[in-house]
């Protein structure tokens, strides 16, 4: 046989011969503890409501949210990130339903903490977009621009009521300048020094958010390009990262995940805090839609997409498949 380089002595295929061999030498491993379940709790419903653009995902009642939290704990999922969906008539220009101690998100936080205590890391989305009648993530000026500093005052209020309701972690997602520092101060000044901040450090303006808008009943007018990041930019992400860390972020996130694995890898290589990535609604919907048409193998595609996010450096992955995948991983390891 002709020798080419190290062949035939070197045969990498030897390490791919059986499922057990491939599992043994795998460089990247998914574990249920890597997963966080995003969940929607909606006001004014007495049964879960299906989200048409996200097959298998529902807007929860308080009771079904409790069950979803219990199921996540049983599967070994580490956390749950809650999003509130208020009644349309409660939306206003300042998003006051988001800072109402009796608002739907705060009710959801209390319900989950009552149900699972500290067995699940309970996280809350800290943003105004679900609660404003214009759908933006902040307070608007008279000419329709998002007022950064006025919005920070609202975020400080949100942080306090979410922590009072039982959030272990708040996740500021509005991409306002200075948001992490203001929220850290607000938490510390109200006796919530132990509440962590998962900063949405890198959040791109993305077409892949589409199904999420249905999930939260968004009232968005226009777009969010003046505060979410431009998909063309990479160095800007590292600047945002440095600012969030300086302001006191305990954990940082890249969102979306799949289209921005290069950014995720840069962030993961640059920090000594935990790094999360959010596999968003459009990423979920694409796989579900293609699988429904028989174009791809659903389960394999889900695992491949999550492994890629993990391989790029995410220690935590927010995914709508969290409980399902955790159950699958549990069965595989038993």
């Amino acid at each position: 046989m002709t020798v080419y380089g190290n062949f035939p002595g070197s045969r990498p295929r030897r390490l791919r011969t059986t499922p057990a061999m491939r599992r043994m030498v795998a460089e990247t491993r998914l574990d249920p503890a890597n997963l966080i379940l995003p969940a929607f709790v909606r006001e004014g419903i007495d049964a879960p409501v299906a989200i048409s653009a996200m097959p298998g995902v529902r807007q929860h009642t308080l009771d079904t949210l409790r069950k979803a939290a219990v199921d996540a704990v049983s599967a070994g999922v580490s956390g749950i990130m809650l999003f509130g969906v208020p009644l349309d008539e409660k939306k206003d220009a300042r998003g006051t339903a988001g800072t109402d101690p009796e608002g739907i998100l705060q009710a959801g936080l209390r319900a989950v903490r009552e149900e699972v205590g500290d067995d699940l890391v309970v996280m809350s989305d800290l943003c105004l977009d679900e609660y404003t009648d214009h759908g933006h993530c902040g307070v608007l000026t008279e000419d329709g621009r998002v007022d950064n500093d006025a919005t920070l005052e609202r975020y400080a209020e949100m942080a306090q009521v979410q922590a009072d309701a039982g959030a272990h972690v708040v996740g500021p997602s509005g991409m306002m300048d200075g948001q992490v520092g203001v929220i850290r101060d607000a938490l510390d000044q109200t006796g919530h020094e132990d509440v962590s901040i998962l900063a949405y450090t890198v959040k791109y303006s993305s077409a892949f958010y589409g199904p999420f808008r249905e999930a939260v009943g968004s009232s968005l007018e226009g777009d969010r390009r003046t505060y979410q990041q431009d998909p063309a930019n990479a160095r800007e992400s590292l600047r945002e990262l440095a600012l969030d860390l300086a302001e006191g972020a305990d954990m940082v996130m890249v969102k979306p995940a799949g289209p921005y694995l290069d950014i995720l890898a840069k962030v993961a290589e640059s920090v000594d805090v935990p790094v999360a990535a959010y596999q968003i609604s459009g990423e979920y919907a694409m796989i579900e839609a293609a699988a429904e048409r028989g174009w791809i193998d659903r389960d394999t595609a889900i695992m491949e997409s999550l492994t890629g996010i993990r391989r790029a450096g995410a220690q935590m992955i927010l995914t709508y498949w969290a409980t399902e995948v955790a159950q699958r991983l549990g069965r595989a390891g038993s």
Side-chain angles (χ1 to χ4, degrees):
M1 177 180 291
T2 303
V3 175
Y4 298 98
N6 292 327
F7 177 83
S10 180
R11 293 181 182 266
R13 287 183 57 191
R14 292 179 185 133
L15 301 182
R16 305 170 194 156
T17 52
T18 67
M21 177 68 79
R22 293 191 294 273
R23 185 172 62 249
M24 183 178 72
V25 301
E27 299 173 26
T28 302
R29 299 186 189 279
L30 272 176
D31 186 272
N34 299 131
L35 304 177
I36 297 168
L37 177 68
F40 306 100
V41 58
R42 178 174 169 179
E43 188 172 14
I45 58 174
D46 55 15
V49 176
I51 300 167
S52 63
M54 301 174 68
V57 180
R58 306 178 297 173
Q59 295 169 325
H60 286 287
T61 68
L62 290 173
D63 286 340
T64 62
L65 179 66
R66 288 174 179 269
K67 183 180 185 305
V70 170
D71 290 345
V73 171
S74 297
V77 170
S78 282
I80 187 168
M81 173 68 80
L82 300 187
F83 297 85
V85 185
L87 296 170
D88 283 343
E89 55 265 33
K90 291 189 177 180
K91 296 181 180 182
D92 60 25
R94 292 181 56 79
T96 53
T99 50
D100 179 356
E102 303 305 317
I104 185 59
L105 179 55
Q106 284 67 255
L109 289 166
R110 286 192 294 271
V112 172
R113 283 300 302 274
E114 289 169 3
E115 193 69 32
V116 300
D118 293 334
D119 291 341
L120 199 62
V121 179
V122 180
M123 305 177 171
S124 56
D125 178 63
L126 199 163
C127 196
L128 289 171
D129 60 318
E130 294 98 326
Y131 311 99
T132 55
D133 53 13
H134 47 72
H136 279 285
C137 297
V139 179
L140 301 185
T141 61
E142 290 185 2
D143 61 357
R145 294 179 297 106
V146 175
D147 187 326
N148 191 95
D149 295 4
T151 299
L152 295 181
E153 296 177 12
R154 300 288 293 124
Y155 286 3
E157 296 175 50
M158 292 190 82
Q160 180 178 345
V161 297
Q162 290 178 1
D164 287 345
H168 294 109
V169 177
V170 296
S173 60
M175 292 300 289
M176 296 297 120
D177 294 338
Q179 63 184 13
V180 172
V182 166
I183 290 166
R184 183 72 271 159
D185 284 347
L187 291 170
D188 291 351
Q189 291 171 14
T190 55
H192 295 298
E193 296 90 350
D194 290 340
V195 174
S196 301
I197 297 176
L198 170 57
Y200 284 60
T201 293
V202 182
K203 185 177 181 181
Y204 281 96
S205 179
S206 173
F208 295 102
Y209 296 133
F212 181 88
R213 306 274 161 81
E214 177 191 347
V216 297
S218 175
S219 304
L220 181 64
E221 302 168 5
D223 58 53
R224 297 174 176 149
R225 294 179 183 176
T226 62
Y227 45 104
Q228 293 179 353
Q229 287 180 236
D230 187 334
N233 294 347
R235 289 192 300 271
E236 181 180 32
S237 299
L238 298 182
R239 183 184 185 197
E240 293 278 5
L241 175 64
L243 291 168
D244 280 358
L245 292 174
E247 292 173 23
D250 300 289
M251 300 168 276
V252 296
M253 186 195 295
V254 175
K255 180 181 181 182
Y260 298 95
L261 294 181
D262 60 324
I263 306 300
L264 174 57
K266 288 178 183 291
V267 169
E269 291 170 358
S270 303
V271 299
D272 57 2
V273 300
V275 176
Y278 197 147
Q279 185 182 53
I280 65 170
S281 60
E283 299 175 71
Y284 175 95
M286 287 192 300
I287 290 177
E288 290 287 354
E292 182 182 356
R293 289 159 177 77
W295 294 343
I296 60 174
D297 181 283
R298 177 184 180 275
D299 292 355
T300 303
I302 291 170
M303 299 304 289
E304 183 177 342
S305 68
L306 292 171
T307 299
I309 296 166
R310 182 85 174 90
R311 188 183 63 243
Q315 296 163 260
M316 303 168 291
I317 304 173
L318 285 83
T319 175
Y320 300 98
W321 290 302
T323 301
E324 175 188 339
V325 168
Q327 291 168 341
R328 192 184 311 164
L329 291 170
R331 288 193 297 270
S334 61

